[in-house]
């Protein structure tokens, strides 16, 4: 207690009260305990573990103090005596006409501390849902709730006062706002650069320390309810931040050229984890997301052999490239690498179809095998018989180009039924299964496809 009083300039004294007697304070132990004032022992909270605050009163210390009492039980509590000068600045605001009133209010609406001509009757009703800015009885109130205690700070001002100062300060604030905006932009750019450099360093360490892992999102034939494959999704098991999704680190990896190292890690891991699963089940495939930079979109020399698997047959591999990241300028170099992969027997899919830059002319040049319908269109299916209409256009386009369709993000049975009626065979989403680690995916295959358990 002595340490708290010493370090916090506004705390005059702290003490422990038992049976309405002061047992000890930050100075000494009282033997026998000292009787306290009647006001002090009446002003405790109604329930154990709660705090009561009393406006400035005369205490044993001989000065006006604000009492803050923490109830331990019906007759015992810890109190602190606070110097009222902590609120001297609020007195000045009210005296100079800056605000109409300042209050410290309990949850029941009782004003513990108040300054100004307004009374607690002028305060708007206080509750958890009260607006931060409230208009009440011709005044504007700014209300803040304490994050730790059942207290609200309430500041009141008249609309006329606000309008007067707003006009007076308008020119100054515009100039200051422009300078502050420029300053903040510079700081944000500097901090962003620092964070990116730190992220780059952590990514290299993640590759060296093998901190990445793979989750598998099953793909189902919606007609037979059989699992026909899975999409491999990389995750970063960060030592302090936990599981980090690719949306966070993949853009950074593309910017500094690290994406190919991550893709190499992914291919080697899939070769290791899925060789047995896929060789024993030749009708099942695995799909892998690639960046345009894996295909040479960065105009660096690439070797298409870096994208090949050693243990998994390539006819069981689907390479996916995301449409909204495939710019028209990427098309020539990407087309060449994709053609080589197709010659090896692999299949190609365009992910998030309908959300990017593609047009029908160069889509036809890619010789794709699958188009994946983005979840945005699936969400537009409103029932088993109605939709926004966009999904039907996407399906018709794919059929006209003789592509197989994979529907992403299916979450409801009526979405699956709608798609099946329109000839969409393959689907994935939380309605069927969530992304899962290898062990769970093997069990899912066994249960869904009624196959024998894997040895490992």
């Amino acid at each position: 207690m002595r340490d708290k009083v010493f370090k916090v300039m506004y705390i005059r004294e702290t003490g422990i009260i038992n049976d309405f007697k002061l047992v000890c304070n930050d100075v000494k132990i009282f033997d026998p305990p000292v009787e306290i004032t009647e006001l002090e022992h009446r002003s405790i909270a109604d329930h154990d573990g709660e705090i009561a605050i009393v406006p400035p009163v005369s205490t044993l210390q001989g000065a006006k103090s604000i009492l803050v009492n923490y109830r331990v039980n019906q007759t015992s509590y810890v109190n602190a005596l606070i110097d009222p000068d902590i609120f001297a600045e609020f007195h000045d605001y009210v005296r100079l006409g800056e605000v109409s009133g300042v209050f410290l209010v309990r949850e029941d609406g009782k004003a513990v501390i108040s300054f100004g001509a307004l009374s607690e009757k002028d305060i708007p009703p206080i509750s958890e849902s009260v607006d931060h800015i409230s208009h009440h009885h011709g005044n504007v109130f700014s209300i803040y709730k304490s994050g730790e205690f059942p207290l609200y700070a309430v500041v009141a001002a008249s609309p006329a006062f606000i309008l007067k100062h707003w006009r007076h300060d308008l020119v100054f604030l515009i100039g200051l706002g422009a300078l502050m905006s420029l300053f903040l932009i510079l700081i944000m750019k500097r901090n962003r650069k620092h964070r990116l450099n730190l992220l780059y360093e952590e990514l290299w360490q993640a590759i060296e320390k093998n901190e990445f892992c793979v989750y598998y999102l099953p793909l189902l034939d919606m007609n037979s309810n059989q699992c026909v494959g899975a999409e491999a999704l990389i995750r970063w098991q960060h030592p302090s931040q936990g599981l980090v999704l690719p949306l966070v680190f993949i853009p950074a990896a593309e910017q500094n050229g690290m994406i190919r190292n991550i893709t190499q890690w992914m291919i080697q891991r899939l070769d290791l984890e899925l060789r047995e699963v896929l060789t024993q089940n030749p009708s099942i495939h695995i799909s892998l997301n690639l960046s345009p930079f894996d295909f040479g979109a960065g105009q660096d020399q690439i070797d298409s052999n870096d994208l090949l698997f050693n243990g998994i047959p390539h006819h069981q591999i689907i390479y996916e490239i995301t449409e909204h990241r495939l710019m028209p300028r990427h098309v020539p170099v990407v087309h060449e690498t994709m053609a080589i992969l197709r010659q090896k027997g692999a299949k190609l899919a365009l992910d998030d179809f309908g959300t990017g830059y593609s047009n029908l002319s160069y889509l036809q040049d890619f010789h794709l095998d699958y188009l994946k319908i983005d979840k945005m269109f699936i969400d537009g299916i409103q029932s088993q018989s109605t939709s926004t209409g966009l999904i039907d256009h996407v399906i018709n386009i794919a059929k006209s180009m003789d592509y197989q369709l994979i529907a992403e993000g299916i979450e409801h049975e009526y979405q699956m039924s709608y798609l099946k009626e329109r000839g969409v065979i393959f689907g994935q989403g939380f309605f069927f299964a969530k992304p899962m680690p290898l062990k769970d995916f093997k069990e899912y295959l066994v249960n869904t496809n009624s196959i024998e358990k894997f040895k490992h």
Side-chain angles (χ1 to χ4, degrees):
M1 289 191 291
R2 184 176 301 167
D3 180 67
K4 291 297 182 184
V5 173
F6 177 76
K7 290 182 178 179
V8 183
M9 61 181 295
Y10 290 107
I11 298 181
R12 286 176 167 170
E13 180 183 317
T14 59
I16 296 176
I17 312 297
N18 192 19
D19 292 329
F20 307 124
K21 295 180 181 180
L22 181 63
V23 177
C24 67
N25 64 7
D26 55 279
V27 178
K28 64 179 180 179
I29 298 175
F30 296 96
D31 188 15
V34 178
E35 291 283 349
I36 61 173
T37 66
E38 182 180 358
L39 178 60
E40 287 181 272
H41 76 68
R42 282 207 315 263
S43 304
I44 63 173
D46 296 327
H47 304 284
D48 296 348
E50 293 183 351
I51 292 174
I53 299 179
V54 184
V57 296
S58 297
T59 62
L60 288 175
Q61 194 188 48
K64 290 283 188 179
S65 296
I66 299 170
L67 305 182
V68 179
N69 296 330
Y70 174 81
R71 171 169 165 160
V72 179
N73 55 47
Q74 189 173 3
T75 60
S76 301
Y77 57 95
V78 179
N79 79 346
L81 308 184
I82 307 297
D83 188 344
D85 285 344
I86 190 174
F87 296 110
E89 187 176 358
F90 296 123
H91 278 294
D92 293 336
Y93 284 134
V94 173
R95 179 175 55 83
L96 296 173
E98 297 290 331
V99 295
S100 305
V102 178
F103 304 86
L104 191 62
V105 184
R106 300 189 316 203
E107 286 186 318
D108 60 3
K110 179 69 175 176
V112 178
I113 305 292
S114 64
F115 307 98
L118 299 179
S119 69
E120 64 182 44
K121 295 180 180 179
D122 299 308
I123 303 173
I126 300 296
S127 68
E128 286 281 350
S129 60
V130 66
D131 293 332
H132 167 54
I133 301 295
S134 297
H135 298 264
H136 191 68
H137 289 177
N139 288 288
V140 179
F141 292 85
S142 181
I143 303 173
Y144 293 88
K145 185 182 186 303
S146 168
E148 299 182 35
F149 306 108
L151 297 170
Y152 294 81
V154 181
V155 180
S158 67
F161 170 81
I162 295 174
L163 182 60
K164 174 184 174 182
H165 279 258
W166 178 79
R167 289 172 177 169
H168 179 268
D169 296 335
L170 179 60
V171 175
F172 170 75
L173 291 176
I174 290 176
L176 179 62
L179 289 175
M180 289 296 294
S181 298
L182 179 61
F183 179 69
L184 289 173
I185 289 172
L186 293 175
I187 290 180
M188 289 173 63
K189 290 181 68 175
R190 181 177 178 181
N191 288 343
R192 182 175 182 272
K193 183 177 181 181
H194 174 73
R195 289 197 302 269
L196 280 175
N197 290 336
L198 181 62
L199 181 58
Y200 295 156
E201 183 178 343
E202 289 184 329
L203 278 173
W204 281 121
Q205 293 177 357
I207 295 175
E208 294 173 358
K209 296 180 181 180
N210 203 33
E211 293 176 354
F212 293 114
C213 60
V214 182
Y215 275 56
Y216 298 92
L217 179 62
L219 175 68
L220 273 78
D221 182 325
M222 295 188 291
N223 292 328
S224 64
N225 293 321
Q226 294 285 296
C227 180
V228 295
E231 180 179 355
L233 304 171
I234 191 168
R235 299 288 187 265
W236 180 8
Q237 191 65 52
H238 195 281
S240 61
Q241 299 180 24
L243 205 62
V244 181
L245 299 179
L247 183 64
V248 176
F249 62 88
I250 289 299
E254 290 181 333
Q255 288 182 23
N256 75 340
M258 199 186 306
I259 187 65
R260 294 184 189 173
N261 300 83
I262 294 177
T263 300
Q264 281 293 297
W265 180 93
M266 189 75 164
I267 290 174
Q268 293 170 9
R269 175 55 63 94
L270 293 179
D271 252 335
L272 178 66
E273 290 189 352
L274 289 184
R275 182 180 304 175
E276 174 196 16
V277 175
L278 296 184
T279 52
Q280 292 181 16
N281 298 273
S283 61
I284 296 175
H285 71 262
I286 188 71
S287 64
L288 170 68
N289 290 282
L290 297 181
S291 163
F293 296 92
D294 289 317
F295 290 100
Q299 298 182 347
D300 297 326
Q301 188 66 33
I302 67 163
D303 186 352
S304 58
N305 291 324
D306 292 339
L307 301 177
L308 299 179
F309 287 74
N310 293 320
I312 301 176
H314 279 88
H315 72 270
Q316 291 177 266
I317 302 295
I318 297 178
Y319 293 97
E320 296 186 14
I321 186 166
T322 304
E323 181 184 0
H324 67 260
R325 294 162 66 196
L326 183 62
M327 307 284 186
R329 66 176 183 273
H330 297 155
V331 173
V333 289
V334 172
H335 178 274
E336 181 179 349
T337 307
M338 291 175 96
I340 295 174
L341 295 176
R342 289 192 97 244
Q343 290 174 3
K344 296 292 183 179
K347 294 180 174 60
L348 303 175
L350 186 66
D351 198 7
D352 298 339
F353 177 61
T355 65
Y357 299 91
S358 69
N359 58 64
L360 300 184
S361 61
Y362 76 70
L363 274 183
Q364 289 175 327
D365 294 336
F366 275 145
H367 303 294
L368 299 166
D369 300 284
Y370 298 94
L371 294 182
K372 301 189 72 174
I373 308 174
D374 186 74
K375 184 180 184 298
M376 174 184 71
F377 298 106
I378 305 301
D379 290 341
I381 301 174
Q382 300 166 348
S383 70
Q384 187 169 337
S385 59
T386 63
S387 76
T388 60
L390 291 175
I391 183 70
D392 296 324
H393 292 298
V394 172
I395 293 173
N396 291 334
I397 290 173
K399 287 182 177 180
S400 68
M401 301 176 71
D402 199 25
Y403 290 145
Q404 289 274 19
L405 277 170
I406 298 175
E408 299 181 287
I410 299 175
E411 297 182 352
H412 305 283
E413 185 175 3
Y414 66 79
Q415 293 173 333
M416 179 187 70
S417 300
Y418 186 95
L419 293 164
K420 286 173 60 178
E421 287 179 1
R422 283 150 183 81
V424 180
I425 299 174
F426 304 109
Q428 60 185 174
F430 288 1
F431 176 71
F432 306 110
K434 295 182 179 181
M436 60 190 73
L438 177 65
K439 179 182 177 182
D440 295 341
F441 176 58
K442 287 182 176 180
E443 293 179 1
Y444 182 84
L445 273 178
V446 170
N447 296 330
T448 305
N449 292 9
S450 301
I451 60 178
E452 294 183 3
K453 289 188 176 181
F454 299 96
K455 297 179 181 178
H456 303 291

